[in-house]
Structure formats: structure tokens, C-alpha cells
Amino acid sequence: MVTIDSANNPASHQAQKMAPAIIEVRGLVNRFGKHTIHDQLDLSVGQGEILGVVGGSGTGKSVLLRSIVGLQAPTAGSVQVFGQDLSLLSASQRSRYERRFGVLFQRGALFSSLTVLENVALPLIEYGGMTRAEAQHLAAIKLALSGLPPEAGAKTPAQLSGGMVKRAALARALALDPDILFLDEPTAGLDPIGASAFDRLIMTLRDALGLTVFLVTHDLDTLYAICDRIAVLSAKRVLVVADIATVAATDDPWIQDYFQGPRGRAASKAALSLQKE
Ligand SMILES: Nc1ncnc2c1ncn2[C@@H]1O[C@H](COP(=O)(O)OP(=O)(O)OP(=O)(O)O)[C@@H](O)[C@H]1O
Ligand SMILES: [Mg+2]
């Protein structure tokens, strides 16, 4: 069992094994009124890795994601992405970097009145400077890349299944050819087969496009199947960040309940049997 030495921030152990950091969060504090969500949180994400971010509901996973992409101004601390603290840049400089993020939000956030194709084309028109025709042409390619059939483009989000909506949101996140993909609970609400297909898609995209993936998830199968490292949010900071075997063996009540409970053991067993195939 791995024990946590709180005097020695475990987040710092990651540096030796990791590719050069593309995201560096240092001393992050986020507070809403008197409610402190993050307190001196540190986290680095290596270029090209799939980092899984887990933690109990309300531990601040989505707030952390929003802080990194610049939608949530931190109370204190710094966030560097691509070696830059984006909050120090002018709006136009900042948007050049922000274009390199693709975000799939926890609540989907597709425009319900637009077709799927129009949803994906929108960022290409607004930020990519394309004409409508060019944007729709490229949007159709992104939909195919995300595993949607061509006819899905003409439908509105309400006409699609939950899994297809996730794929459409992924296509929109990929519209501007991002370097970093942020996914907030992408497989929530999908059946296990749909979820594992989505996992494979994320892995394929990372391998084919060299993306870095910041993946917030509760899905243990996803953690075992595709994540290079797992960061556990607890007690307002990153309690541990390491490979899954190290995390699962960490001496912490929440981690033990989560990874060694029936679902955690089943996911671990399934991952082991897949490796043997
Ligand atoms: N804009 C905001 N104003 C006030 N409180 C907020 C705001 N955004 C988030 N919070 C609070 O911050 C805490 C962390 O929220 P967050 O959405 O990051 O949790 P989470 O870890 O993503 O949870 P879940 O697993 O349920 O998605 C919650 O208590 C939430 O109510
Ligand atoms: Mg959340």
C-alpha cells in the first residue's frame, strides 16, 4: 500500500515520469464566498498524455477544468498552458491560445435550435474565419471523425441518442484542431458498450492527432482502459497523481472505497483480462 506523505506534495512526484508539461497549475485557490473549493492545488499534465481526473461529487473537478481553460478566474495561484499564463495576455493573444483547446462540457452545451452540422460549423465560422460552406464541409469531416453517420448532421441534438450527442459535442470540440482536449464526464449516461466505444475513440484520436487529453470521469472502466495517469481530487487539492496501480493502492479512505469496491475490482479485472487477450 502506498501511503501519502502530506508534507511532501505527491503532485511533485510526477515530474520524473512525465512528458514535458503542457499544463502547469501551481498553488491554485478557488473560493466562492466562504466556500473554498481548491486550496494550493498543484497539477501538471504532460504533452500527449491522457490524464484522468477523479474525485467525489463537488470536489471541484469541473471548476478545475474551467480554471485551466480560462472560464473561471482563480482566487489565487497560477495556471500555465503552453508555457503561458493566459490571464496575463491581451484578449487577442489569449484567444490565439484558447483556440487550441477543445472542450466537451459536462452538460453538453450544444445549441438545441441548430442542426448538429451547424453546431460543429459554428466555431469554424466564428473563430476559424471560414465561410459557411467551407465550415460545413469541414464540420462534416469532424462528424465522421467522431464516428457519426453523415445523416446525423442534418438532425437537431434532440433528435439524437445520448451517445450520438456526446459524439456531436466531441466533433465540435475537435472543430478547430485543438492540441488539448478537455472532456468533462464524456461517458456519463452512456451504456457500457457505447462508453467503451467512446473510450476507444478518444484513445485513437490521441494516438492519431497527438492530442493531450484532460479527462474528468467517474467511469472506472475508462480510467483502466485509456488513462496514462490518474489525478485524485480530495481535500481541496490533488491528493495523488500517478499510474492507476499506484493510485488504487494509495492509503486513503475515498480511494480505497472507489478503487477496491465491487465496481473498482470489476473494472480492474476486466482491464487485466483485456491485456491478456
Ligand atoms: N460559479 C459557481 N459559483 C458558486 N459555487 C460554485 C460555482 N461553480 C461551482 N461551484 C461549487 O464548487 C463546488 C465544486 O463544483 P464542481 O462542479 O467543480 O464539482 P465536481 O467535482 O465537478 O462535481 P461532479 O462530480 O458532481 O460534477 C460545488 O460545491 C459547486 O457548488
Ligand atoms: Mg463536474
Side-chain angles (χ1 to χ4, degrees):
M1 178 141 320
V2 180
T3 48
I4 295 168
D5 174 7
S6 57
N8 184 6
N9 181 357
S12 63
H13 293 325
Q14 68 197 322
Q16 305 117 26
K17 286 190 204 158
M18 215 180 61
I22 195 165
I23 301 172
E24 292 263 17
V25 179
R26 291 288 164 259
L28 182 71
V29 179
N30 273 309
R31 223 171 267 140
F32 296 110
K34 287 187 182 151
H35 192 182
T36 302
I37 311 300
H38 300 131
D39 190 12
Q40 299 296 328
L41 180 150
D42 293 327
L43 179 66
S44 300
V45 184
Q47 184 147 17
E49 80 169 325
I50 301 181
L51 178 80
V53 178
V54 297
S57 193
T59 49
K61 302 178 297 294
S62 297
V63 171
L64 175 60
L65 186 156
R66 292 171 65 81
S67 303
I68 297 172
V69 302
L71 290 170
Q72 169 72 48
T75 311
S78 74
V79 175
Q80 290 209 343
V81 193
F82 310 115
Q84 301 277 345
D85 184 336
L86 304 190
S87 68
L88 304 178
L89 302 179
S90 68
S92 71
Q93 284 174 316
R94 197 164 59 234
S95 81
R96 284 219 311 272
Y97 288 101
E98 286 170 353
R99 280 190 49 163
R100 296 166 66 187
F101 301 153
V103 189
L104 194 162
F105 290 101
Q106 188 166 9
R107 293 186 180 90
L110 290 174
F111 292 106
S112 57
S113 59
L114 299 182
T115 67
V116 166
L117 190 75
E118 287 165 345
N119 263 287
V120 180
L122 197 62
L124 293 163
I125 298 168
E126 280 196 0
Y127 305 105
M130 291 186 189
T131 64
R132 206 176 133 87
E134 287 166 346
Q136 294 204 348
H137 178 70
L138 195 55
I141 295 172
K142 301 292 173 179
L143 287 174
L145 187 66
S146 304
L148 282 172
E151 60 274 17
K155 297 187 172 158
T156 60
Q159 295 172 308
L160 299 183
S161 71
M164 289 169 98
V165 169
K166 297 279 187 193
R167 286 175 186 269
L170 178 67
R172 194 180 57 179
L174 293 172
L176 292 166
D177 296 327
D179 293 310
I180 312 179
L181 193 55
F182 292 88
L183 306 171
D184 199 345
E185 300 285 1
T187 57
L190 299 188
D191 67 71
I193 295 170
S196 82
F198 201 92
D199 286 346
R200 282 197 303 278
L201 174 61
I202 299 302
M203 187 114 108
T204 306
L205 289 172
R206 188 277 302 268
D207 293 344
L209 307 176
L211 298 173
T212 302
V213 184
F214 182 97
L215 168 62
V216 176
T217 188
H218 279 110
D219 191 327
L220 279 150
D221 292 323
T222 303
L223 295 175
Y224 277 99
I226 66 167
C227 294
D228 298 307
R229 293 187 311 148
I230 316 289
V232 180
L233 255 66
S234 179
K236 305 184 176 57
R237 59 184 72 187
V238 175
L239 183 67
V240 58
V241 51
D243 60 88
I244 195 156
T246 307
V247 170
T250 298
D251 183 14
D252 170 79
W254 187 85
I255 291 178
Q256 287 307 304
D257 277 355
Y258 188 65
F259 285 94
Q260 308 301 345
R263 282 164 176 252
R265 288 201 310 271
S268 159
K269 229 166 121 184
L272 276 175
S273 68
L274 270 183
Q275 278 169 11
K276 283 187 197 138
E277 270 173 21

mmCIF file of all heavy atoms in Angstrom, residues 61-62 106 184-185 216, ligand 2:
data_model
loop_
_atom_site.group_PDB
_atom_site.id
_atom_site.type_symbol
_atom_site.label_atom_id
_atom_site.label_comp_id
_atom_site.label_asym_id
_atom_site.label_seq_id
_atom_site.Cartn_x
_atom_site.Cartn_y
_atom_site.Cartn_z
ATOM 1 N N LYS A 61 -13.831 19.193 -9.707
ATOM 2 C CA LYS A 61 -13.224 18.737 -10.961
ATOM 3 C C LYS A 61 -13.599 19.673 -12.112
ATOM 4 O O LYS A 61 -12.738 20.080 -12.897
ATOM 5 C CB LYS A 61 -13.680 17.298 -11.276
ATOM 6 C CG LYS A 61 -13.333 16.311 -10.166
ATOM 7 C CD LYS A 61 -13.830 14.918 -10.450
ATOM 8 C CE LYS A 61 -15.343 14.780 -10.554
ATOM 9 N NZ LYS A 61 -16.064 15.041 -9.287
ATOM 10 N N SER A 62 -14.894 19.988 -12.181
ATOM 11 C CA SER A 62 -15.321 20.881 -13.282
ATOM 12 C C SER A 62 -14.765 22.288 -13.075
ATOM 13 O O SER A 62 -14.388 22.952 -14.050
ATOM 14 C CB SER A 62 -16.853 20.927 -13.356
ATOM 15 O OG SER A 62 -17.369 19.655 -13.670
ATOM 16 N N GLN A 106 -19.579 19.241 -19.285
ATOM 17 C CA GLN A 106 -20.352 18.203 -18.595
ATOM 18 C C GLN A 106 -21.819 18.239 -19.032
ATOM 19 O O GLN A 106 -22.441 17.208 -19.165
ATOM 20 C CB GLN A 106 -20.245 18.411 -17.073
ATOM 21 C CG GLN A 106 -20.843 17.286 -16.263
ATOM 22 C CD GLN A 106 -20.435 17.343 -14.795
ATOM 23 O OE1 GLN A 106 -19.837 18.317 -14.339
ATOM 24 N NE2 GLN A 106 -20.775 16.313 -14.049
ATOM 25 N N ASP A 184 -15.384 16.588 -19.914
ATOM 26 C CA ASP A 184 -15.959 16.530 -18.566
ATOM 27 C C ASP A 184 -17.061 15.470 -18.560
ATOM 28 O O ASP A 184 -18.138 15.701 -19.109
ATOM 29 C CB ASP A 184 -16.500 17.909 -18.172
ATOM 30 C CG ASP A 184 -16.686 18.049 -16.662
ATOM 31 O OD1 ASP A 184 -16.676 17.011 -15.955
ATOM 32 O OD2 ASP A 184 -16.837 19.195 -16.198
ATOM 33 N N GLU A 185 -16.782 14.340 -17.973
ATOM 34 C CA GLU A 185 -17.715 13.212 -17.891
ATOM 35 C C GLU A 185 -18.266 12.816 -19.271
ATOM 36 O O GLU A 185 -19.488 12.744 -19.459
ATOM 37 C CB GLU A 185 -18.895 13.563 -16.961
ATOM 38 C CG GLU A 185 -18.510 13.904 -15.548
ATOM 39 C CD GLU A 185 -18.114 12.688 -14.722
ATOM 40 O OE1 GLU A 185 -18.127 11.571 -15.262
ATOM 41 O OE2 GLU A 185 -17.777 12.878 -13.551
ATOM 42 N N VAL A 216 -12.122 14.383 -17.143
ATOM 43 C CA VAL A 216 -12.814 14.231 -15.862
ATOM 44 C C VAL A 216 -13.805 13.083 -16.009
ATOM 45 O O VAL A 216 -14.595 13.068 -16.959
ATOM 46 C CB VAL A 216 -13.587 15.518 -15.502
ATOM 47 C CG1 VAL A 216 -14.384 15.319 -14.215
ATOM 48 C CG2 VAL A 216 -12.637 16.701 -15.374
HETATM 49 MG MG MG B 2 -18.381 18.202 -12.583
#
